[in-house]
Amino acid sequence: MRALVISGGGSKGAYAGGVAEHLMRIQKRKYDIFVGTSTGSLLLPHLAAGKIDKLYKLYTQVNQNSIFNVNPFKIKHKGKREYVSINLINVLRQVARGKRTFGESDNLKKLIEHSITPEEFELAKSHVADLVITVSNLTNNVVEYKSIKTLSYAEFIDWVWISCNYVPFMSLAKRHGCEYADGGFGSIVPIREAINRGATTIDAIILQSENVQPNQELGQNPFSLLMSLFRFMLTQVENGNVIEGDLVAKAQNISLNLYYTPSKLTENSLIFDSKLMTNWWQQGFDYAAKKAANQVDEEEKEPWWQVFFQRLRGRE
């Protein structure tokens, strides 16, 4: 069975949408299993239901107000760089209200409810062997995977929203006596879970550059420093997920195709800019096209019998 895995990455999900569009529309790849984290979770139901055009509109028209009902950020532009600082008024209001997060993302849940209809939920559910949402149970210190096959429409919408909640900048959710947050805190690239669900061929879209990035300046205030620390920790989780997934895939003779971003798209993936996200979608589409062309070139250099067996394994 073929699986599509999409990592977390906030606004960079637009790039993943472009890659997925090329894989599914141009390369005609059909997926039995979909597994995602955070923004990856948000992409999956539309892809499984074949609603790529609707997904494109969603990811290229969104802005900060679409996500936050309490926005903890202030954004300043200097040249081509974005500088993010704390929105002190909103944060103080949160403290005064006894809240434990800097911001709240109720608007994101409304957006998810509006963008995924009950009919589309049922369509996605009927078209796949499995569709899995990754969430972090902070109370029990475990990663949990929620299958569309076991959820009602309302439950599914809720878990997709929870999977996207990058605390402490977004909402902290409490369900069944436990507190939950973004799945990326425990499994940002859930390749291993796709293997556990029976995948024999996996396409994994990783919303991070494969190459080592230049040294970056740490935040000049406590708020931006916190963002830098979160980026560091999640990068380590991501690298660990990919290494583990690759080792398990090789041990079980599973074909694993990795799709990275060609460069660092943004320093803060919680900034949602429709123009940038439109550009990232096209970059993802172009990158998938280039990688497909390179693979064809490589295949032409290989013996015909090797190519035959590789393609045969890809159809399993």
Side-chain angles (χ1 to χ4, degrees):
M1 290 195 293
R2 183 180 285 272
L4 179 64
V5 174
I6 304 181
S7 80
S11 57
K12 294 184 290 186
Y15 181 91
V19 174
E21 180 183 11
H22 196 279
L23 293 176
M24 298 178 72
R25 275 190 168 165
I26 307 304
Q27 300 184 42
K28 305 297 183 183
R29 297 191 185 181
K30 298 185 182 299
Y31 296 100
D32 308 290
I33 301 170
F34 292 80
V35 187
T37 294
S38 195
T39 194
S41 298
L42 184 55
L43 286 155
L44 296 187
H46 296 88
L47 294 173
K51 303 291 184 178
I52 297 176
D53 290 337
K54 185 175 181 180
L55 186 62
Y56 175 80
K57 290 180 181 179
L58 173 65
Y59 268 84
T60 57
Q61 295 178 5
V62 71
N63 55 43
Q64 292 299 97
N65 292 332
S66 306
I67 308 299
F68 297 100
N69 56 301
V70 179
N71 189 350
F73 301 113
K74 277 187 176 180
I75 307 167
K76 294 181 181 180
H77 296 273
K78 183 179 287 187
K80 295 183 178 180
R81 292 197 62 182
E82 297 170 340
Y83 292 87
V84 181
S85 61
I86 188 170
N87 187 324
L88 188 59
I89 294 176
N90 282 351
V91 170
L92 290 176
R93 284 175 178 167
Q94 287 288 92
V95 173
R97 293 166 58 201
K99 299 292 184 177
R100 296 160 61 198
T101 59
F102 298 131
E104 292 184 357
S105 54
D106 291 347
N107 287 356
L108 174 59
K109 186 172 184 181
K110 293 176 183 177
L111 178 65
I112 295 171
E113 290 173 336
H114 177 73
S115 64
I116 305 173
T117 66
E119 292 76 20
E120 289 166 342
F121 165 77
E122 293 296 338
L123 183 62
K125 193 173 185 177
S126 65
H127 274 56
V128 299
D130 212 345
L131 191 157
V132 182
I133 306 302
T134 309
V135 295
S136 296
N137 185 328
L138 303 183
T139 302
N140 294 333
N141 292 318
V142 295
V143 178
E144 295 180 5
Y145 299 96
K146 307 295 182 180
S147 169
I148 194 173
K149 297 296 185 179
T150 64
L151 301 174
S152 67
Y153 170 73
E155 290 171 333
F156 181 77
I157 295 296
D158 206 31
W159 287 119
V160 170
W161 173 65
I162 290 171
S163 181
C164 297
N165 275 335
Y166 190 70
V167 297
F169 309 103
M170 301 170 78
S171 298
L172 180 67
K174 190 168 186 177
R175 301 292 183 272
H176 313 302
C178 295
E179 291 180 317
Y180 287 89
D182 193 302
F185 290 121
S187 180
I188 198 168
V189 193
I191 296 170
R192 179 68 181 269
E193 185 62 20
I195 295 173
N196 292 342
R197 301 269 170 169
T200 54
T201 300
I202 300 172
D203 295 327
I205 304 174
I206 303 168
L207 296 172
Q208 185 71 27
S209 173
E210 183 176 12
N211 300 319
V212 176
Q213 297 298 312
N215 293 337
Q216 63 180 18
E217 184 179 351
L218 295 180
Q220 297 299 305
N221 58 65
F223 194 71
S224 57
L225 176 60
L226 184 61
M227 291 294 298
S228 297
L229 291 173
F230 268 68
R231 266 199 308 271
F232 171 80
M233 291 186 292
L234 292 180
T235 297
Q236 308 316 305
V237 172
E238 182 177 67
N239 291 340
N241 292 159
V242 174
I243 291 171
E244 178 190 33
D246 187 49
L247 289 173
V248 175
K250 288 177 179 176
Q252 299 186 24
N253 198 29
I254 292 169
S255 175
L256 176 61
N257 308 302
L258 303 178
Y259 295 82
Y260 287 92
T261 63
S263 61
K264 183 167 66 175
L265 299 178
T266 179
E267 292 184 2
N268 188 338
S269 60
L270 295 182
I271 303 304
F272 298 84
D273 183 302
S274 60
K275 290 182 180 179
L276 282 175
M277 294 171 73
T278 300
N279 184 38
W280 294 343
W281 186 289
Q282 187 61 47
Q283 284 186 43
F285 186 91
D286 293 342
Y287 173 77
K290 183 178 179 180
K291 182 162 184 172
N294 290 340
Q295 287 174 340
V296 170
D297 291 341
E298 288 298 318
E299 284 184 353
E300 290 177 351
K301 298 176 185 178
E302 295 177 357
W304 68 267
W305 55 269
Q306 246 182 11
V307 175
F308 173 79
F309 284 112
Q310 285 175 357
R311 288 177 174 172
L312 183 65
R313 189 173 65 178
R315 294 192 189 102
E316 294 177 352

